[in-house]
Amino acid sequence: MLSLIFTLIKFLTIISAGIIAGFIGSLTGLGGGTILVPLLTLFYGVPVIFATGASLVSTIATSDGSASAYTREKIANVNLSISLEIATTAGAIVGSLVAIYIYAHSLSWIIYIVFGIVLLFSLIPTIRKIAFETPKFVPPDWTTKFFKLSGSYYDERLKKRIDYHGVRWYLGEVIMFFAGFFSGLLGIGSGALKVLGMDWALNLPMKVTTTTSNFMIGITAATSSSIYWYAGFIQPFIAASTAIGVLIGAYFGAKVLIKVTNKDIRWIFFSLLMFLGLDMIFTGFNKINIYIVNVDFQFFLAVGISIVLIFLLYVLMKKGYLGVEEK
Amino acid sequence: MRDFDDTMVVSHFLRAGAVLSLLFIAAGVILLFVRNGGDGYTLSQITSYSYSQAHSIDSKNMPLSMILPGIFDLDGIYFIALGLWLLIFTSVSVVVVRLVWFSQQKDIKFVIMTLIVLFNLFFAMIVVPSII
């Protein structure tokens, strides 16, 4: 009986990790997986191989759940997502195969370090997303017509219909391959990379990039999930509990997001994400016996650096040095 | 932009798939607790984090052919397995739905692109498992 209660508590703690990850993921727009993997590995002692497997599964769940809301709003561009999914699914296959190689050769430290770096870089488009700027006008090129990259959506805030068109499809395709690659390698949705690709290469409005990216995440993650399944990266209990938790968290995160008028609150979460990214990198180096700092001190160093960096970023953004205007 | 009904089809597909799979997953977890384990493992073995313990119960040791008998056996592990595969197939089914649209519209370019995406998906599901 006592052991059953302990197991139940264990189950509830993983669910709560999922809820935290889903909540922060939906508030910041990064998605649950990016927070779930560091939480499970750094604080719960879950092997990274199962953390990434569980994360991938919850990524599909959240993508399917929220994509239905987004398509209802008809902002996501279905034509665009199909042509880009060619690259993301191909990248996901390569990424998953590399992950299998890495685990088979006990090189999991690479996963930690790459994860940390990707997490830190994911913060760039996420922070930029606060400013919902419309892209500078770039004339349509041959890919705009060929791949039907134009569309329109109704902007609630501006109260008007926005027409847009994408350019440089080939460049977007290259970035999408890498987005898929990291999704397969790290078990995340890599929505931030997809957004970055569509924003920077295809020159699309932020609203379209975020919704379309969410749409694509499910199919990308489904590709790598099936490989993860056969490779044995999915532990049913951990995956089940996190999938339930992340969905609950994402649901409440979306509810809260509408109510939060002060976007500055999100900076607390950005610093938390930065801490997780740094801690992942330090842990990765520890695994190959490279101690940047004493293990006991590592936590405080990661906290310290992230607070200073986020404070700097915040000040720079407020003063307009990052080239984006906060709305 | 697609017309309204098409978008709604995708919307319903995704929502229904996500809900259905979550129901199976939740049922699986409840069954694990009620029956104190599943697939020949005790609950404490299944809920263990340690790699050596958890390794024997990972997805590699849960063949798809066992899902149906496992469901009839009320085995929690296979309820979870079915739920997870439903999630994967929800995403795949959306691509199939789009393939039907594009072929109805005789949009050859997009039919080919959708077929490539489907090829990648099935490559990951059928070809890759046989080489790893």
Side-chain angles (χ1 to χ4, degrees):
Chain A
M1 189 62 200
L2 199 65
S3 74
L4 189 69
I5 293 170
F6 271 123
T7 323
L8 194 64
I9 292 171
K10 207 171 190 176
F11 172 64
L12 292 176
T13 49
I14 314 183
I15 282 213
S16 61
I19 294 177
I20 296 169
F23 186 78
I24 299 177
S26 119
L27 268 187
T28 52
L30 262 185
T34 322
I35 298 134
L36 189 66
V37 175
L39 270 188
L40 288 181
T41 50
L42 299 175
F43 299 107
Y44 285 71
V46 173
V48 69
I49 190 166
F50 294 139
T52 51
S55 152
L56 204 54
V57 168
S58 11
T59 301
I60 311 181
T62 37
S63 166
D64 285 359
S66 49
S68 57
Y70 282 134
T71 36
R72 206 163 277 169
E73 284 177 38
K74 299 221 290 178
I75 295 176
N77 187 327
V78 179
N79 287 344
L80 175 67
S81 68
I82 271 291
S83 63
L84 294 179
E85 273 157 13
I86 296 174
T88 61
T89 49
I93 293 173
V94 178
S96 319
L97 291 177
V98 172
I100 290 172
Y101 180 87
I102 284 176
Y103 292 122
H105 293 78
S106 309
L107 299 169
S108 66
W109 60 275
I110 298 176
I111 299 284
Y112 281 89
I113 295 174
V114 175
F115 198 105
I117 294 170
V118 168
L119 179 48
L120 294 181
F121 273 96
S122 300
L123 281 172
I124 299 170
T126 314
I127 289 174
R128 273 179 58 97
K129 204 160 53 182
I130 291 177
F132 288 99
E133 85 271 42
T134 35
K136 285 193 186 74
F137 181 80
V138 175
D141 59 13
W142 67 271
T143 59
T144 308
K145 196 156 180 279
F146 191 82
F147 294 105
K148 296 184 182 165
L149 302 180
S150 39
S152 65
Y153 68 93
Y154 184 76
D155 193 306
E156 285 288 343
R157 203 170 52 83
L158 299 173
K159 302 247 178 283
K160 64 171 183 181
R161 184 154 278 280
I162 308 269
D163 291 302
Y164 64 87
H165 63 263
V167 292
R168 296 185 296 253
W169 176 85
Y170 42 89
L171 208 58
E173 202 73 358
V174 173
I175 297 175
M176 289 305 143
F177 178 82
F178 285 101
F181 176 80
F182 285 119
S183 169
L185 182 69
L186 308 173
I188 56 175
S190 62
L193 271 174
K194 293 192 175 83
V195 169
L196 195 68
M198 280 188 272
D199 176 41
W200 177 71
L202 296 154
N203 198 45
L204 291 167
M206 207 41 114
K207 255 235 143 87
V208 178
T209 59
T210 45
T211 49
T212 310
S213 138
N214 202 299
F215 208 81
M216 290 164 29
I217 285 172
I219 290 153
T220 316
T223 313
S224 18
S225 286
S226 52
I227 299 179
Y228 271 39
W229 180 279
Y230 292 110
F233 294 2
I234 295 172
Q235 209 278 355
F237 182 75
I238 301 172
S241 347
T242 50
I244 297 170
V246 168
L247 259 189
I248 297 172
Y251 178 78
F252 285 108
K255 291 262 171 206
V256 170
L257 190 61
I258 302 166
K259 295 207 177 99
V260 175
T261 43
N262 185 1
K263 295 273 190 273
D264 285 355
I265 291 171
R266 297 210 279 176
W267 287 88
I268 298 168
F269 297 120
F270 291 146
S271 54
L272 183 76
L273 289 168
M274 194 173 267
F275 155 73
L276 289 177
L278 289 169
D279 213 14
M280 283 298 268
I281 295 175
F282 290 150
T283 310
F285 279 115
N286 288 352
K287 294 225 176 258
I288 41 169
N289 297 324
I290 297 175
Y291 296 98
I292 297 171
V293 279
N294 185 304
V295 179
D296 304 319
F297 192 59
Q298 176 186 320
F299 176 83
F300 299 101
L301 184 74
V303 170
I305 295 178
S306 47
I307 289 176
V308 170
L309 276 178
I310 279 293
F311 183 74
L312 268 174
L313 267 177
Y314 181 74
V315 171
L316 283 176
M317 170 163 253
K318 279 284 174 192
K319 295 202 167 177
Y321 287 124
L322 295 184
V324 282
E325 227 176 90
E326 200 166 346
K327 288 254 167 75
Chain B
M1 273 272 140
R2 321 220 62 80
D3 57 45
F4 188 69
D5 289 340
D6 289 349
T7 328
M8 290 302 281
V9 171
V10 173
S11 210
H12 287 310
F13 247 111
L14 289 170
R15 179 63 52 94
V19 169
L20 194 67
S21 58
L22 252 289
L23 283 179
F24 272 105
I25 291 173
V29 173
I30 293 168
L31 278 172
L32 282 184
F33 276 98
V34 171
R35 304 189 68 189
N36 193 29
D39 202 23
Y41 296 96
T42 63
L43 187 62
S44 64
Q45 279 175 315
I46 291 169
T47 53
S48 170
Y49 292 161
S50 79
Y51 185 72
S52 52
Q53 277 266 9
H55 183 54
S56 52
I57 322 160
D58 65 27
S59 48
K60 204 174 190 170
N61 302 302
M62 292 156 62
L64 296 189
S65 56
M66 277 302 290
I67 288 184
L68 207 58
I71 295 288
F72 285 119
D73 216 26
L74 290 182
D75 191 324
I77 289 284
Y78 289 102
F79 270 77
I80 295 174
L82 181 62
L84 298 179
W85 273 101
L86 274 177
L87 268 184
I88 295 175
F89 274 108
T90 304
S91 299
V92 179
S93 66
V94 172
V95 184
V96 175
V97 169
R98 285 192 219 154
L99 182 68
V100 175
W101 288 345
F102 290 131
S103 44
Q104 274 173 353
Q105 293 172 347
K106 303 214 168 27
D107 195 337
I108 302 296
K109 209 155 52 191
F110 275 84
V111 167
I112 292 171
M113 282 200 267
T114 318
L115 280 175
I116 298 175
V117 175
L118 274 180
F119 172 79
N120 283 350
L121 275 166
F122 287 109
F123 185 83
M125 280 178 194
I126 295 156
V127 182
V128 173
S130 63
I131 55 171
I132 55 175

